[in-house]
Amino acid sequence: MERDLADAGWRGGPPAPPPPGWQRFTLVHGGEDAPRHDALRARPPQGCVVDESEGCFTLRCERPGGRLLDAVAATCAEIRDEYGLLMSGLGADGPGDRGALNVGRLLLMAADRGPHVGYSVDDLARFLRTAGGADEAGA
């Protein structure tokens, strides 16, 4: 447990849990310093703070969402729409739901890397629907 806390960047123990209906997470942009970081540094999304102590552009966020992926998706969409930047990594600020965290990491990685090898967002969504056995309505 102590290692999880240290890995999450907590000094002096974990903060109080977020309020019900809120999620705490860290978004990472793995690319080199980009001019788009400047605008995001100056005006991060509400509930997020910039942290570059680990040598990469990171946002530590506490945002509304019933589930982790809901909060992450909404925050990533806001950053993409407003700053033109696709966040490519996800971490947690604590020992929360590791399953959701791992799924989120893989999905962000796919969204970031897929276009570099010729897959669109629609291709990736179709892959998930087909491989997961969902019908065309997304059930």
Side-chain angles (χ1 to χ4, degrees), residues 49-127:
V49 295
V50 175
D51 178 0
E52 297 179 90
S53 62
E54 300 295 320
C56 58
F57 187 81
T58 302
L59 292 173
R60 293 193 182 271
C61 301
E62 187 171 298
R63 302 267 298 193
R67 297 183 306 173
L68 177 65
L69 293 185
D70 299 330
V72 169
T75 306
C76 286
E78 182 179 334
I79 293 167
R80 184 198 65 239
D81 292 348
E82 198 159 326
Y83 304 97
L85 194 65
L86 175 62
M87 301 306 280
S88 56
L90 174 65
D93 285 350
D97 183 350
R98 295 291 180 199
L101 180 63
N102 288 333
V103 169
R105 283 180 180 145
L106 293 170
L107 290 171
L108 280 177
M109 200 181 322
D112 180 53
R113 296 178 185 171
H116 295 287
V117 294
Y119 292 106
S120 69
V121 171
D122 288 338
D123 293 332
L124 297 172
R126 184 173 45 256
F127 171 82

Side-chain angles (χ1 to χ4, degrees), residues 12-40:
W22 288 72
Q23 304 293 326
R24 188 175 289 141
F25 55 93
T26 301
L27 291 173
V28 178
H29 184 251
E32 54 205 51
D33 194 31
R36 293 173 291 191
H37 291 169
D38 293 337
L40 198 46

